[in-house]
Amino acid sequence: MRNKKSYIVKQGINYLYLILFITIVSCSSKGESSVEKTVEVLPIEENAYHLTELQFQSSGMELGKLENRDFHQIVNATGMLEVPPQNQISVIAYFGGYVKDIELLPGQWVNKGKLLFVLENPNFVEVQQDYLETQGTLTYLESDYERQKNLAKDNINSQKIFLKAESEYLVAKARFESLRKKLSLMGINPNDLSVSNIITTVPIYAPSSGYVTSININKGVYLNPSDVAVTIVNTNQIHLELAIFENDLSKVSVGQKIKFKLQNSNSESYDATVHLINKSVDPVKRTIQIHGDLGGEKASNKFTQGMYVEAEIYTVSAAHLSLPEDAIVEVENKYFVLSKNSDSGNAYDFERKEVEIGQSHSGYVEILNSDAFDPETEFLTKGAFNLISE
């Protein structure tokens, strides 16, 4: 009985030793893992960092040097794309009529002289009739006027008869010329008009090339002389119309560079230059209009009249040594970078250094104390935030 109890006690002790051994090994493994993990995230000493080649590559880190970049003083402006008044055409008919034919669509390009639509009106016949009648009368009155003038010169007839003939002739001539101009406005060539080719329709042609932006008529509608039938815009001379506040006027001058983006577009930007500066101030908004020339950008099919834009006018430009924004990390209102001390081909050593920053533009920041670094010093330009902030 005693031997059996002794056997049980020994077995229990063996189990306790086994459990204790497993616990120690487990704790030892966890401790080693924790230490290894800590070594990866903490600097090897204050302000110094050591990275293996594998860590550098797998984290997508990059190196770079101080670069000379242009920094600008900027005046912000907003506005829209416009075309000059001479490139905006409102097509009207000088004489009212019913629309007989039209084949147009908004957005369609038309060349100067293209047929836009055809008007029909019985009154057109009356104008042509009056012209032909006046033309016939004028021939007689002119002949009579010349005859009476010769008779008056020879004192064969009275001056009164001559003056009457002259008056009738001049009145008829004025009416004839007036009707001739009216026919030209109607699109009818008076030189080709005869009794045999009187027409009841008048064609309306495009006065200039451009895009059809609006059509206010349809087939069968009556078009009044004052109504705008079609609008045409030629975007070849498209430009910027910007507004700046009056206190920025002294900073802006003709020839300065403009960078602009279409509203709500954060990607592509386009170039322009200041071409004209308005001399009057909007009394309500206290703004001044700036005319920007697009230059080579005019041909872009991304632009059309009326698009809103956000612009920056570069007033003063100067080159300064700078680093990418990702190379600079802010810690408690101070700014730091990681400069490379050495590399052995499979490892990198970096040192944290404080910098003073200035202007920022296009993803780069001016380094005011750049003279504190050797021109060949390399900096961690991507991934610095993750190291410094840990």
Side-chain angles (χ1 to χ4, degrees), residues 340-352:
K340 190 183 76 171
N341 288 337
S342 64
D343 69 77
S344 59
N346 58 2
Y348 298 85
D349 288 324
F350 293 96
E351 183 179 356
R352 186 177 75 172

Side-chain angles (χ1 to χ4, degrees), residues 69-75 257 259 312-320 359-362 366:
R69 290 270 174 169
D70 286 331
F71 289 86
H72 314 277
Q73 291 184 18
I74 292 172
V75 170
K257 185 177 180 181
K259 281 281 186 182
E312 295 177 340
I313 303 174
Y314 295 164
T315 57
V316 178
S317 299
H320 300 284
Q359 309 170 74
S360 62
H361 179 69
S362 297
E366 177 189 3

